[in-house]
Amino acid sequence: MRAVNLILALALMMVLASCGAKAPPKILTYDGPPITSIQVQKANRKMYLLSGNQVVKSFDIALGFAPVGHKEYEGDGKTPEGTYWIDRRNPNSAFHLSLGVSYPNADDRIHALANGKLPGGDIFIHGDSPWTKRQVDWTAGCIAVTDEEIEEIYAMVREGTVIQILP
């Protein structure tokens, strides 16, 4: 009887320990048309992956917690506006998977420094957002989608892809 109780207690501990465990990111493959650009429409909370002028896939997004206007300096909670490119891939992101956006550019740096501020950085498209479907903006300036969506986006988008972020 004592052995049965011990086995049951160990099984219960294993089940409870696994409840908080997060599944590792899935690195998917993609064999569709090449994604040549990304367009983000901040006002509509939409992101489009394009091949030429054809929309291949669209996503609902969450933005920085102060979504109106162009990012001006570190800590302002805004998502940048303008033309950038995907400059890095992070398979070990704190937000499931992430794709780096090349913000700040030279103009962003000049503007921030002229106002006595730092421009900030580390702007990404990333996962870990259960709020995108509810239109809650929560990031520090990034573009967030769900974990399942970033797995798909991560497979589709390559470094060097242009991203245009519109107001």
Side-chain angles (χ1 to χ4, degrees), residues 3-4 22 38 40 46 54 58 60 91 93 96-97 100-101 103 106-107 110 120 128 134-135 138 143 152 156:
V4 171
K22 189 172 181 179
I38 302 167
V40 172
K46 294 294 265 185
Q54 297 293 314
S58 66
D60 293 325
S93 173
H96 199 62
L97 292 170
V101 176
Y103 175 89
D107 289 339
I110 290 167
D128 206 33
R134 288 182 258 151
Q135 300 299 310
W138 62 275
I143 299 160
E152 188 174 6
M156 296 171 79

Side-chain angles (χ1 to χ4, degrees), residues 42-114:
K42 288 172 57 174
N44 298 332
R45 304 301 188 278
K46 294 294 265 185
M47 179 172 66
Y48 301 94
L49 304 186
L50 301 143
S51 183
N53 61 1
Q54 297 293 314
V55 174
V56 175
K57 190 84 180 190
S58 66
F59 300 91
D60 293 325
I61 59 173
L63 300 169
F65 61 83
V68 177
H70 175 59
K71 182 165 195 62
E72 296 186 71
Y73 56 87
E74 185 174 51
D76 67 5
K78 296 181 180 180
T79 301
E81 295 172 357
T83 302
Y84 300 94
W85 66 90
I86 300 302
D87 65 353
R88 60 203 180 278
R89 299 165 60 80
N90 184 358
N92 301 310
S93 173
F95 297 98
H96 199 62
L97 292 170
S98 61
L99 298 171
V101 176
S102 65
Y103 175 89
N105 62 28
D107 289 339
D108 297 322
R109 284 187 196 88
I110 290 167
H111 178 78
L113 294 173

Side-chain angles (χ1 to χ4, degrees), residues 16-29:
L16 290 175
S18 69
C19 288
K22 189 172 181 179
K26 294 179 187 169
I27 306 297
L28 305 176
T29 58

Side-chain angles (χ1 to χ4, degrees), residues 115-132:
N115 289 292
K117 308 255 186 186
L118 295 173
D122 284 339
I123 301 297
F124 288 88
I125 301 169
H126 62 68
D128 206 33
S129 179
W131 300 285
T132 56

